[in-house]
Amino acid sequence: MRALSRELGVHPSTIHRQIRAVEDRRDDPLFDEALITMDRFHPVDAVQARHVKETREMQTCNAVATTASSKTVIPGPDPEKTVQREARRILRRLSESKAFLAVAPEADLGVVFRESVPGYPRQTATVARDVAREFAVRDWISCRRQGKVACYEITAAGRSALDRMLSSDMIARRAAQGQSDHRSAFAMQHQAETTRHVMEEGSETPVPIRVNAAESPLAWLARRSGVAGEPFLKRRELEAGERLREDFERAGLGPNVTQNWQRFLTAGTSGGRSTGGGDTPGIAAEEAGRRVSNALKALGPGLSDIAFRCCCFLEGLEAAEKRLGWSKRSGKVVLKIALGRLADHYEAARAPE
């Protein structure tokens, strides 16, 4: 290990940690087969054999070697392309609820099952053993149960890899349709794109726009289900929270990290009012700030605190509970009550007198 560390220019402890990480995964049958396959590609020569303490027979587990596939490479002209294509198909199946990959010792194919009915798994896909072995090496799947038939589940790294692949496909499709998208596949994997209809000034009908649903904690709650299976947040509650955030952003109430040059760059204005007598962004900001103040007053103490932090500052429930000194898992219920009160306030303000 010291000689290898000198050759690579790293500390010996780094080599030791990497070796331990590999050895900890030797119980995975597919991962162990991959090491044996690489050993066949890189045999030990006569010079290196002098420094090897164990014999060749001691290094290779005969039980695993006999079950390893005879193929040492992924078939096809482009192995990487084959892995990417199969990953889009298999990882998507493994992302389903209660899905797993079963690999038998002497089978050339792995089978993906989904236990939609308890005790009765149903086959959904098959994959070549060498491709499944590549998934294990890349840490896209992990062995959850060993035995005569090993069972694998998708990992967090596998889900992230699948999201990047699907995002790349979406970017390619939009480029083929002549649509430009400045985002990268890595950025898109952390976003949940959806379409929302909003009212714009001067428009009588809602205009569809693309938004990132993963940006707001409310969107995360809206995707959760209640006790009876219905959405945890109603549509009116979600729209009320988004409206509060919209007014908060229009009012410019968030913390400024730089100097505000807006009034210096706007010609013909004085004190936030136009010299021509029309409305300016300054007046619109004042009106938005007034709407935010009225909404928080309607909620009252307690409800306004959780709504302000989650809707305006986009704080998660755990962070908001910690800042407010509340017990764990209490903010979810209080936030739902606050959003219901907020929706009632906006509906009362919209109703004609």
Side-chain angles (χ1 to χ4, degrees):
M1 286 191 293
R2 293 186 179 278
L4 186 59
S5 65
R6 287 193 297 267
E7 181 180 351
L8 298 178
V10 296
H11 197 271
S13 60
T14 303
I15 303 296
H16 181 261
R17 285 194 300 268
Q18 294 177 354
I19 293 176
R20 290 292 296 271
V22 172
E23 289 297 328
D24 290 342
R25 299 183 59 188
R26 291 295 299 271
D27 293 335
D28 186 341
L30 290 180
F31 187 82
D32 207 21
E33 289 178 16
L35 293 182
I36 296 173
T37 303
M38 287 187 290
D39 187 46
R40 293 173 181 173
F41 274 115
H42 305 282
V44 180
D45 54 20
V47 178
Q48 293 177 342
R50 301 175 186 173
H51 306 283
V52 176
K53 297 181 180 180
E54 299 176 351
T55 62
R56 188 75 173 180
E57 290 75 12
M58 295 177 62
Q59 292 178 352
T60 304
C61 179
N62 294 329
V64 178
T66 55
T67 60
S69 176
S70 59
K71 300 178 182 179
T72 56
V73 295
I74 297 177
D78 192 347
E80 181 62 25
K81 187 176 181 180
T82 302
V83 172
Q84 297 291 328
R85 183 184 66 251
E86 290 296 293
R88 287 170 169 82
R89 183 175 62 93
I90 300 301
L91 295 182
R92 185 179 300 179
R93 289 295 186 181
L94 290 176
S95 298
E96 299 174 352
S97 177
K98 297 182 180 180
F100 61 93
L101 173 65
V103 181
E106 298 179 356
D108 293 333
L109 294 177
V111 183
V112 179
F113 291 96
R114 183 187 181 191
E115 195 174 358
S116 54
V117 179
Y120 296 93
R122 181 173 58 88
Q123 177 180 336
T124 58
T126 59
V127 61
R129 189 185 190 91
D130 45 13
V131 177
R133 186 190 306 145
E134 186 68 22
F135 291 170
V137 172
R138 301 189 183 193
D139 197 23
W140 290 351
I141 58 176
S142 62
C143 184
R144 73 169 186 181
R145 187 173 69 245
Q146 303 176 12
K148 189 173 182 180
V149 178
C151 297
Y152 291 82
E153 287 183 342
I154 188 171
T155 62
R159 295 182 186 275
S160 299
L162 177 61
D163 291 340
R164 286 193 297 271
M165 296 175 195
L166 298 180
S167 300
S168 300
D169 295 342
M170 184 180 297
I171 293 175
R173 287 195 301 268
R174 289 178 178 174
Q177 297 174 359
Q179 302 177 2
S180 60
D181 199 330
H182 64 281
R183 298 173 300 174
S184 62
F186 182 80
M188 291 182 65
Q189 80 175 79
H190 300 284
Q191 300 177 356
E193 183 177 325
T194 184
T195 302
R196 185 171 298 162
H197 294 77
V198 298
M199 296 294 297
E200 293 186 351
E201 298 180 1
S203 177
E204 298 180 355
T205 58
V207 178
I209 60 173
R210 290 188 305 174
V211 297
N212 178 20
E215 184 181 5
S216 172
L218 301 185
W220 179 85
L221 283 177
R223 293 194 297 269
R224 295 299 181 268
S225 300
V227 179
E230 77 283 357
F232 181 76
L233 291 182
K234 299 179 181 179
R235 181 176 179 179
R236 60 189 295 269
E237 297 171 347
L238 179 62
E239 291 178 352
E242 293 296 337
R243 182 176 177 181
L244 178 64
R245 180 194 173 192
E246 181 181 354
D247 290 337
F248 178 81
E249 296 293 342
R250 286 185 175 181
L253 298 177
N256 294 326
V257 295
T258 58
Q259 173 69 32
N260 186 4
W261 299 96
Q262 183 64 30
R263 67 187 185 91
F264 297 103
L265 299 177
T266 305
T269 61
S270 176
R273 296 186 176 272
S274 173
T275 56
D279 289 346
T280 66
I283 298 178
E286 291 178 1
E287 294 178 352
R290 192 178 302 111
R291 291 194 296 268
V292 172
S293 178
N294 294 335
L296 296 179
K297 288 180 181 179
L299 293 179
L303 296 180
S304 60
D305 296 335
I306 188 68
F308 185 75
R309 292 192 175 278
C310 293
C311 298
C312 300
F313 282 151
L314 300 180
E315 287 187 1
L317 288 176
E318 294 183 1
E321 291 168 354
K322 185 178 297 185
R323 285 181 176 272
L324 296 174
W326 295 357
S327 59
K328 293 183 178 180
R329 301 179 183 86
S330 61
K332 182 178 178 181
V333 179
V334 178
L335 179 60
K336 180 176 176 60
I337 298 174
L339 293 176
R341 296 275 184 88
L342 191 62
D344 295 338
H345 166 75
Y346 285 135
E347 291 175 358
R350 192 184 304 115
E353 298 180 356

